[in-house]
Amino acid sequence: MEIEGKVFSGMNVAEEYLKMNQYQRKIKDITGFKPFPGTLNLRSSKEEVKNTLSQVDSIRISSFSFEGEEYSGVDVYPARVQGHDAAVLRMDVTDYGPEVVEIAAKHKLRETLDIQDGDKIKVDVKNQFQSESS
């Protein structure tokens, strides 16, 4: 199952979250990789995103409190982007609409894949996480 979308620059909110040990540890436990602090953002159609994600299981990271702040829960979906293990992250609290997909990976995908705003890419959404062979 695939989601195709256009890459766009985000608001750098995910970078702050993915720098936090609490999210990094939980995502690594689920995916097997420590996520790069930031996501690759794609804009697709909300129907394509909804239909694709409804066909696969996610693993839930519950919301939590840390140093007096509340942090959003997130659903983590296994994915691959051009041969690289990744995860689609669906945050409970977000400024993006349902047509936006945020993708976490071990490496900064923009650099690894040499992609820029406006480029079209496909995300292969899987039913389970698997180890990257490289």
Side-chain angles (χ1 to χ4, degrees), residues 17-50:
Y17 281 92
L18 292 178
K19 283 181 179 177
M20 293 180 65
N21 186 48
Q22 293 81 354
Y23 282 113
Q24 282 191 357
R25 187 180 71 251
K26 291 175 183 183
I27 291 171
K28 185 174 192 254
D29 288 347
I30 293 168
T31 65
F33 61 81
K34 179 180 174 183
F36 171 82
T39 56
L40 180 68
N41 300 311
L42 297 183
R43 185 167 279 114
S44 186
S45 74
K46 64 182 177 182
E47 294 81 16
E48 182 174 357
V49 173
K50 181 181 175 183

Side-chain angles (χ1 to χ4, degrees), residues 3 15 23 36 60 67 73 78-79 93 103 105 114-115:
I3 298 173
E15 176 181 354
Y23 282 113
F36 171 82
R60 180 88 179 139
E67 295 181 349
V93 178
I103 304 161
D114 191 27
I115 51 180

Side-chain angles (χ1 to χ4, degrees), residues 31-34 79-87 104-107 109 112-113 129-134:
T31 65
F33 61 81
K34 179 180 174 183
R80 284 183 69 79
V81 178
Q82 295 183 14
H84 295 272
D85 284 344
K106 182 178 181 178
H107 307 286
L109 290 174
T112 302
L113 303 174
F129 287 98
Q130 52 189 315
S131 296
E132 200 169 86
S133 57
S134 57

Side-chain angles (χ1 to χ4, degrees), residues 89-118:
L89 305 180
R90 301 297 279 181
M91 302 295 283
D92 291 349
V93 178
T94 180
D95 291 323
Y96 296 127
E99 76 285 359
V100 172
V101 176
E102 292 186 82
I103 304 161
K106 182 178 181 178
H107 307 286
K108 185 174 184 177
L109 290 174
R110 278 182 178 267
E111 291 177 3
T112 302
L113 303 174
D114 191 27
I115 51 180
Q116 301 173 5
D117 284 357

